[in-house]
Amino acid sequence: MLTNYSRRTFLETIGLSMGASILLPASTLPDRARADRKLNVALCGLGRYANVLKRGFAESRHCRLAGIVTGTPAKAAQWQQEFKLPAQNVYTYETFDQLRNNPDIDLIYITLPNGLHKDYTIRAAQAGKHVIVEKPMAFTVPDCRAMIDACRKAGVQLAVGYRLHYEPHHIELKRLGQQKVFGPVRLIEASLGYQLAGTPPDDWHLKKAIAGGGALMNLGVYCIQSARYVLGEEPISVTAQYSPVTMPQLFREVEENITWQLTFPSGAVNTSATTANCNIDRFYASADNGFFELSPALSYGPFQGRSSQGPFNFPVVNQQAALLDDVASHILAHKPLPAHIAGEEGLKDMRVIEGIYRAADSGNKITLPPL
Amino acid sequence: MLTNYSRRTFLETIGLSMGASILLPASTLPDRARADRKLNVALCGLGRYANVLKRGFAESRHCRLAGIVTGTPAKAAQWQQEFKLPAQNVYTYETFDQLRNNPDIDLIYITLPNGLHKDYTIRAAQAGKHVIVEKPMAFTVPDCRAMIDACRKAGVQLAVGYRLHYEPHHIELKRLGQQKVFGPVRLIEASLGYQLAGTPPDDWHLKKAIAGGGALMNLGVYCIQSARYVLGEEPISVTAQYSPVTMPQLFREVEENITWQLTFPSGAVNTSATTANCNIDRFYASADNGFFELSPALSYGPFQGRSSQGPFNFPVVNQQAALLDDVASHILAHKPLPAHIAGEEGLKDMRVIEGIYRAADSGNKITLPPL
């Protein structure tokens, strides 16, 4: 029964489903993965999310935080000490390109502000390093394509930091939706918002040039992702609306709130809202013979949810550690990354984000271009 | 505390808030209301909702089911027997207007299909009877105005069957929203849908001429109501979208699914979906300092909900009995009906419904006309 997953059953299930043994006890790992070799990762951009990733590295089996890139000497000193990093693995943005000469670094994890994702991903690829880039991957579909192409050309792999693919509740949402456990899903409501009234006016999230957009860029991508991976389809059209600005002193350049509606080839519909003026964090899917929902749903968790068969009962996992280990286990085994985390996945979201902005800007229903 | 309402406290609260003693034990009623006089009601249209109302009459203190109007002799016989109705209080649609000669009937409760609401409301008024008409009140704002005017001219009162105003969870939603208990409400998600795949193709709900519309007319009015009464504001603009038709054999004339977005003067936003292709029944409001939600939310209940302070714990009441008794206690006391149930309330919803259809038909954002 779905609702009576034991921890063991669950772990076996996602262990199998991800083609990796990321959460199994070390003693059960296949020989290859038990080898001592870890993937050496340099973190590029030591902001808020880099701090979230600290615990991910601590719990990771296959990744080692081996280097940093930062423009702030105090952060450099602090992280160097905390992770016992050799001085030659500590970079600034000026010395970033010299990473190409450092065989101690296998992968660069880019947690810079959105507007720097494209440039640093391409430069990381040109330095011969694999890349994980945080969401949103970039600002436009052509930018995403350029990043994918640069990585392909350089023979490195590109991942987007889609942590929720490693979260048990979301793995279950995907199963219930894609396997049509309750029949075809007809309607998905997914919304994410944080009350950001206290944000300093100089926060980069408020600057169009560096953030690329507001609530949609930073939060909306989670809603779009959830609709896409639960349905296992790509949307074909979109309508969208900006909502009134309630904090004009902060939201001069990027949208404070936006709502949108996606239509999928099956006829399924997804309605979503993202906002910076209130808290909201919910996912609901209605299918022919049942429903499933999470609330909280799309934040860092812990999540709560249920289906029409009863409450979910899944363990809390460190999403970041699981993501790092899945990326590492594929790269260490010279296997291509799973589609759900590859650069093309970020491009598919960007296609939708671009459509949402076009729809909201024009007031028109936008037919999304073919992929 | 909100979450620790005792039944007694709750009953006292809504007893006070509604200016009526509708749910208090008879021994505590003021002399006037304790008098033997009950309001005599004729039910016009013995379909599905008339059957729901049976229990409402059974639990009502101030209403008596005193007559019926039906075109089906078998129903006439069955209801006449069940409610021990004198033969002279049993009408057909042909004899409806003769109700004017029947002093045993004070009020006509119209539970006919939507398309008959206007005509029968006006004729009931012209017969000198008070009216309760089911939602949606009519098809257009001018129709609603004509109904209101006819009742005013005839010196009778007009109510719309807005049962949720008498439901404890909704009374609490209204309090939390209008009194800004968690600060101003910013975003309301309210959706209602039923899987109607099994509907017979000749069901009147599928016929434009008699239903006036599809999911929006029949279900959407609850979503619109909840947003309006939680915010205590009237929306100023609307966007709306028809969703793909998944049951083309049924939905040839009226919409199967529709989504919409309302903007309010405060800047608050309401997003909603109504559908006939899946089940959904949820309400969520996010305010500056908290949230409140119900699920199930807008159906007949029983409802479940919580605020950011904890779960709700309200008694189940018979919404229909409470509505009947509130209408009756006002009419018996020669007092005007509360605004939340008067005809003008139905007109306000119709203004929004018309705007939603105009927005969905045109694809444009519609500025709603002033009230």
Side-chain angles (χ1 to χ4, degrees):
Chain A
M1 290 299 296
L2 303 181
T3 55
N4 289 320
Y5 258 144
S6 70
R7 184 176 173 88
R8 180 182 165 83
T9 306
F10 169 74
L11 293 174
E12 285 167 351
T13 303
I14 67 164
L16 288 169
S17 74
M18 293 191 292
S21 49
I22 57 166
L23 289 167
L24 296 176
S27 61
T28 71
L29 290 176
D31 287 345
R32 187 182 66 239
R34 214 190 304 157
D36 199 28
R37 175 85 168 100
K38 286 193 172 188
L39 198 76
N40 289 318
V41 176
L43 253 188
C44 176
L46 303 182
R48 194 184 55 82
Y49 197 64
N51 281 289
V52 173
L53 283 170
K54 278 184 181 176
R55 201 178 141 209
F57 279 105
E59 297 193 16
S60 163
R61 294 175 176 277
H62 303 305
C63 282
R64 176 189 295 117
L65 178 59
I68 51 175
V69 183
T70 177
T72 310
K75 285 186 188 174
Q78 182 204 324
W79 282 68
Q80 190 181 348
Q81 181 178 31
E82 183 172 348
F83 290 90
K84 301 182 178 41
L85 304 175
Q88 69 269 23
N89 289 1
V90 177
Y91 291 83
T92 65
Y93 298 112
E94 287 69 36
T95 62
F96 178 88
D97 297 311
Q98 295 172 21
L99 272 154
R100 81 178 62 211
N101 305 316
N102 188 339
D104 287 355
I105 303 298
D106 301 307
L107 181 146
I108 303 178
Y109 194 145
I110 297 169
T111 53
L112 291 164
N114 306 343
L116 301 170
H117 288 179
K118 177 191 174 188
D119 184 41
Y120 279 84
T121 293
I122 292 173
R123 285 163 64 187
Q126 289 169 346
K129 307 303 180 188
H130 302 289
V131 182
I132 304 175
V133 62
E134 261 310 308
K135 42 71 28 194
M137 183 174 170
F139 290 174
T140 68
V141 167
D143 283 355
C144 295
R145 237 183 269 282
M147 295 157 76
I148 293 167
D149 289 346
C151 290
R152 189 183 297 120
K153 197 172 159 192
V156 298
Q157 296 217 57
L158 171 61
V160 185
Y162 285 137
R163 58 186 170 78
L164 290 176
H165 288 274
Y166 299 94
E167 198 289 320
H169 296 80
H170 283 265
I171 293 168
E172 176 68 355
L173 298 189
K174 213 190 305 193
R175 187 185 77 84
L176 294 173
Q178 292 190 14
Q179 298 186 14
K180 298 183 171 52
V181 171
F182 298 113
V185 171
R186 303 297 187 178
L187 177 61
I188 291 176
E189 293 186 343
S191 294
L192 184 61
Y194 296 103
Q195 228 296 0
L196 298 181
T199 306
D202 61 350
D203 188 289
W204 69 257
H205 291 89
L206 303 175
K207 308 299 175 192
K208 174 92 172 181
I210 191 75
L216 177 60
M217 273 285 177
N218 291 301
L219 305 178
V221 65
Y222 289 111
C223 306
I224 296 166
Q225 271 272 300
S226 69
R228 288 182 49 246
Y229 59 64
V230 167
L231 290 167
E233 299 179 67
E234 297 302 328
I236 52 179
S237 67
V238 54
T239 45
Q241 306 80 33
Y242 296 115
S243 307
V245 177
T246 63
M247 299 179 281
Q249 71 286 10
L250 293 180
F251 289 87
R252 297 167 190 271
E253 299 185 19
V254 298
E255 80 279 0
E256 180 187 299
N257 327 283
I258 188 168
T259 54
W260 68 91
Q261 304 79 41
L262 305 180
T263 304
F264 290 78
S266 64
V269 169
N270 159 226
T271 70
S272 286
T274 60
T275 173
N277 83 7
C278 65
N279 296 312
I280 185 167
D281 184 7
R282 355 164 54 206
F283 171 95
Y284 176 90
S286 183
D288 274 6
N289 310 311
F291 71 86
F292 43 104
E293 65 177 341
L294 295 183
S295 177
L298 301 164
S299 52
Y300 294 157
F303 301 124
Q304 286 198 326
R306 60 175 176 169
S307 77
S308 35
Q309 295 188 337
F312 292 148
N313 181 21
F314 294 118
V316 173
V317 304
N318 185 299
Q319 303 162 29
Q320 288 80 16
L323 181 151
L324 285 168
D325 280 345
D326 194 36
V327 169
S329 64
H330 281 82
I331 289 176
L332 290 172
H334 305 288
K335 287 201 256 174
L337 293 176
H340 65 247
I341 200 174
E344 285 76 5
E345 183 73 4
L347 183 148
K348 288 173 184 171
D349 285 336
M350 195 52 59
R351 167 182 176 262
V352 183
I353 290 175
E354 281 193 325
I356 292 170
Y357 279 129
R358 281 180 58 211
D361 288 340
S362 67
N364 294 328
K365 178 175 180 172
I366 298 295
T367 300
L368 293 170
L371 267 168
Chain B
M1 290 299 296
L2 303 183
T3 54
N4 289 320
Y5 259 142
S6 70
R7 184 176 173 88
R8 181 181 165 85
T9 305
F10 169 76
L11 293 175
E12 285 168 352
T13 302
I14 67 164
L16 286 169
S17 74
M18 293 191 291
S21 49
I22 56 165
L23 288 167
L24 296 177
S27 60
T28 71
L29 291 175
D31 287 344
R32 188 184 65 241
R34 213 191 304 156
D36 198 29
R37 175 86 170 98
K38 288 193 171 186
L39 198 75
N40 289 317
V41 176
L43 253 188
C44 176
L46 303 183
R48 194 184 55 82
Y49 197 64
N51 281 289
V52 173
L53 284 170
K54 279 184 181 175
R55 200 178 141 210
F57 280 104
E59 297 192 16
S60 163
R61 293 175 177 278
H62 304 305
C63 282
R64 176 188 297 117
L65 178 59
I68 51 175
V69 183
T70 176
T72 309
K75 285 186 188 174
Q78 182 204 323
W79 282 68
Q80 189 182 349
Q81 181 178 29
E82 183 172 350
F83 290 91
K84 301 183 179 39
L85 303 174
Q88 68 270 22
N89 289 1
V90 177
Y91 291 83
T92 65
Y93 298 111
E94 288 68 37
T95 62
F96 178 88
D97 297 311
Q98 295 172 21
L99 272 154
R100 80 178 63 212
N101 305 316
N102 189 339
D104 287 354
I105 303 298
D106 302 308
L107 182 145
I108 303 177
Y109 194 145
I110 296 169
T111 53
L112 291 164
N114 306 343
L116 301 170
H117 288 179
K118 176 191 174 189
D119 184 41
Y120 279 83
T121 294
I122 292 173
R123 286 163 64 187
Q126 289 169 345
K129 307 304 179 187
H130 302 288
V131 182
I132 303 175
V133 62
E134 261 310 308
K135 42 67 35 189
M137 183 174 169
F139 290 175
T140 67
V141 168
D143 283 354
C144 295
R145 236 183 270 283
M147 295 157 77
I148 293 167
D149 289 347
C151 290
R152 189 183 296 120
K153 195 172 162 195
V156 299
Q157 297 218 57
L158 171 59
V160 185
Y162 287 138
R163 58 186 170 78
L164 290 176
H165 288 275
Y166 299 93
E167 198 290 319
H169 297 80
H170 283 264
I171 293 168
E172 176 68 353
L173 297 189
K174 212 190 305 193
R175 187 184 75 85
L176 294 173
Q178 291 189 14
Q179 298 185 14
K180 298 183 171 53
V181 171
F182 298 112
V185 170
R186 303 296 186 178
L187 177 61
I188 291 176
E189 293 186 343
S191 294
L192 184 61
Y194 296 103
Q195 227 297 0
L196 297 181
T199 306
D202 61 349
D203 188 289
W204 69 259
H205 291 88
L206 303 175
K207 307 299 175 193
K208 173 94 173 181
I210 191 74
L216 176 61
M217 274 285 177
N218 291 302
L219 306 177
V221 64
Y222 289 111
C223 306
I224 296 165
Q225 271 273 299
S226 69
R228 288 182 49 246
Y229 58 65
V230 167
L231 291 167
E233 299 179 67
E234 296 302 328
I236 53 178
S237 67
V238 54
T239 45
Q241 307 80 32
Y242 296 116
S243 307
V245 177
T246 64
M247 297 178 282
Q249 72 285 11
L250 294 179
F251 289 87
R252 297 167 189 272
E253 299 185 18
V254 298
E255 80 279 0
E256 179 187 301
N257 328 283
I258 188 168
T259 54
W260 69 91
Q261 304 78 41
L262 305 179
T263 304
F264 290 78
S266 64
V269 170
N270 159 226
T271 70
S272 286
T274 60
T275 174
N277 83 8
C278 65
N279 296 312
I280 185 167
D281 185 7
R282 355 165 52 206
F283 172 94
Y284 176 90
S286 183
D288 274 5
N289 311 309
F291 71 87
F292 43 104
E293 65 177 341
L294 295 183
S295 176
L298 302 164
S299 52
Y300 294 156
F303 301 125
Q304 288 199 324
R306 60 174 177 169
S307 76
S308 34
Q309 294 187 337
F312 292 147
N313 181 22
F314 295 117
V316 173
V317 303
N318 185 299
Q319 304 163 28
Q320 288 79 15
L323 181 151
L324 286 168
D325 280 344
D326 194 36
V327 170
S329 64
H330 281 82
I331 289 177
L332 290 172
H334 305 288
K335 288 200 257 175
L337 292 176
H340 65 247
I341 200 174
E344 285 76 5
E345 182 74 3
L347 183 148
K348 289 174 183 171
D349 285 336
M350 195 52 59
R351 167 181 175 263
V352 183
I353 289 175
E354 281 193 325
I356 292 171
Y357 279 129
R358 281 179 58 210
D361 288 340
S362 67
N364 295 327
K365 178 175 179 171
I366 299 294
T367 300
L368 293 170
L371 267 168

